[in-house]
Amino acid sequence: MTNPTTHVMKVTKRPYVQMVEGKGSWLYDEDGRTYLDFVQGWAVNCLGHAHPVMLDALQAQASRLINCSPSYYNAPMARLATLVAESSGLHDVYLCNSGAEANEGAIKLARRWGQRHRGGAYEIVTTHGAFHGRTLATMSASGKTAFEPLFEPKVPGFVKVPLNDLDAMAAAITDHTAAVMLEPIQGEAGVFPADDAYLETVRALTRERGVLLILDEIQTGIGRTGRLYAFEHTSVRPDIFTLGKGLGGGVPLAALVASTDASCFEPGDQGGTFGGSALMTAVGCAVMDTVNRPEFLATVRETSDYFVRRLAELAASHGHGAVRGRGLLLAVALTRGDAAAVVEHAFERGLIINAPRPDTLRFMPALNVTRDEVDEMLKLLEPCLP
Ligand code: PLP
């Protein structure tokens, strides 16, 4: 029999397993094997697999209008923009399809703003270890060492500094700078938070120097850290921020969000065929209506407290290191062994977790994961730990 995956371009290593169904925190493959999913489409399925509010939204919207082209407004597009604007305090929302597309838009918007308001300044200060996406500009903005030799020449205009180093940040902002761009928690780098005090000082510094602050909330947004937006743990309000992943709860949906002062695209500067389609934005509205409720977000924080405590106990009992992160974006440091091997072993036992670096395990479960599922996860993980 021919291998049915033969024609799938091999852009990533994956085990030969085809997933056929998902429900809540559980995934099922074609052979009927069950997996407890603590990666959830890479921190995407914030309500878990096949949540009824998403299914209802998909069905109801698909039978009315899927896509009327970006040439016209549609009702879910307008409603989702309103929900994001009103919940964030920023004014303008551009809806698109992926995190990289939203960040590419943020970079363009900062360059546009620099042309208009800062004498043509176009540099953007980003951080070592940052991950902003896989388009050419967002790879150039990223501070991932593995990206350095790839696809030269890079898009120019990105200056990199170490995360949480205020002196380096202050020195990097010059007359050529249009913006500073940061993740509140560096997710792909291995769950390294920007300190709250650092974010607040960078906000003050960017105001003082007259440059924009862009926050990449693709991984941290939509309740992932226990607040709707991670910046809400601080007094910081960015000029621009981006959302993706959880915003669509599993469907391709992302957003570029800008304050009135920063929002300076002219008609024609930005666009895309699928951006703001009625079907995707209807799902985004259903996700926002579910996640942006005080009791939902309080439960994320409570589950997180429980998860952090139990994970730290397990790690300590095996001589491993500290738990990092916030809400349900968590990681644990391994003091020995290879995290990739742990992930492989866990997968064989029916547990899906992730190793963003050789000494780190990362967990990004559904935001409505239960304590019993956390307990089950730890039970499956324990025998895999070195
Ligand atoms: N920015 C951050 C912080 C991310 O974590 C990711 C994806 O992991 C992206 C951007 C890119 O998003 P996408 O894969 O949807 O293009």
Side-chain angles (χ1 to χ4, degrees):
M1 202 181 94
T2 51
N3 177 347
T5 68
T6 299
H7 297 290
V8 179
M9 196 179 279
K10 304 294 179 284
V11 295
T12 187
K13 281 193 191 147
R14 35 194 161 200
Y16 177 67
V17 170
Q18 292 190 82
M19 298 301 178
V20 291
E21 210 176 321
K23 184 85 195 129
S25 287
W26 300 89
L27 256 182
Y28 306 91
D29 73 15
E30 60 183 341
D31 298 323
R33 283 198 67 201
T34 302
Y35 305 83
L36 181 55
D37 187 358
F38 269 55
V39 170
Q40 286 287 359
W42 231 262
V44 164
N45 310 322
C46 56
L47 302 177
H49 295 279
H51 194 283
V53 300
M54 289 184 58
L55 301 186
D56 289 350
L58 277 166
Q59 272 167 3
Q61 191 57 48
S63 62
R64 283 201 83 194
L65 175 67
I66 292 178
N67 190 342
C68 60
S69 101
S71 306
Y72 308 102
Y73 294 113
N74 66 70
M77 166 209 267
R79 177 154 189 266
L80 183 58
T82 307
L83 291 174
V84 172
E86 288 182 348
S87 57
S88 66
L90 275 67
H91 196 273
D92 283 1
V93 181
Y94 170 74
L95 294 159
C96 50
N97 311 287
S98 72
E101 191 187 357
N103 282 341
E104 185 89 17
I107 292 163
K108 286 168 66 178
L109 187 58
R111 286 187 173 199
R112 192 74 160 114
W113 182 89
Q115 278 167 357
R116 283 260 193 99
H117 302 290
R118 214 171 138 76
Y122 66 88
E123 282 183 1
I124 299 182
V125 183
T126 64
T127 53
H128 296 309
F131 181 73
H132 297 298
R134 286 178 177 276
T135 60
L136 268 182
T138 54
M139 281 181 87
S140 305
S142 297
K144 202 174 147 108
T145 329
F147 282 178
E148 269 161 33
L150 300 181
F151 312 123
E152 292 291 320
K154 293 276 180 297
V155 174
F158 297 99
V159 176
K160 314 262 164 71
V161 295
L163 180 68
N164 289 324
D165 183 336
L166 280 168
D167 291 339
M169 180 60 80
I173 299 173
T174 70
D175 290 346
H176 304 294
T177 310
V180 169
M181 182 168 178
L182 295 171
E183 291 161 271
I185 299 174
Q186 287 189 343
E188 296 308 294
V191 188
F192 292 102
D195 299 336
D196 291 349
Y198 169 81
L199 275 182
E200 288 180 349
T201 312
V202 171
R203 175 66 283 192
L205 189 64
T206 47
R207 284 229 164 87
E208 194 183 295
R209 303 281 187 91
V211 304
L212 300 174
L213 176 63
I214 304 171
L215 291 182
D216 175 346
E217 290 243 20
I218 308 285
Q219 191 153 145
T220 54
I222 315 299
R224 178 59 49 191
T225 68
R227 304 265 173 217
L228 188 64
Y229 307 116
F231 62 71
E232 292 179 85
H233 292 282
T234 69
S235 62
V236 171
R237 293 299 172 268
D239 302 295
I240 296 172
F241 73 99
T242 51
L243 294 169
K245 293 190 183 279
L247 181 62
V251 302
L253 180 64
L256 162 64
V257 191
S259 69
T260 312
D261 288 345
S263 185
C264 58
F265 278 147
E266 304 273 337
D269 280 353
Q270 184 64 331
T273 305
F274 293 113
S277 82
L279 186 63
M280 298 308 148
T281 53
V283 178
C285 291
V287 169
M288 283 289 277
D289 289 339
T290 309
V291 173
N292 191 20
R293 284 186 292 123
E295 58 281 14
F296 185 95
L297 293 168
T299 306
V300 174
R301 295 193 292 274
E302 283 158 24
T303 310
S304 169
D305 290 346
Y306 179 75
F307 192 168
V308 169
R309 183 164 55 76
R310 294 288 324 275
L311 182 60
E313 282 165 10
L314 178 67
S317 71
H318 286 258
H320 290 295
V323 174
R324 302 191 292 270
R326 202 168 221 169
L328 291 172
L329 175 54
L330 296 172
V332 67
L334 298 184
T335 50
R336 61 189 185 285
D338 175 20
V342 176
V343 167
E344 224 170 280
H345 188 179
F347 187 78
E348 283 159 17
R349 287 178 51 82
L351 169 64
I352 301 180
I353 52 174
N354 164 253
R357 37 187 286 150
D359 64 357
T360 300
L361 297 176
R362 179 170 54 158
F363 309 87
M364 309 169 271
L367 301 181
N368 52 10
V369 68
T370 64
R371 286 182 183 212
D372 285 350
E373 286 162 348
V374 170
D375 290 344
E376 180 69 21
M377 192 284 288
L378 295 167
K379 212 161 79 189
L380 288 166
L381 176 62
E382 179 157 23
C384 308
L385 287 176

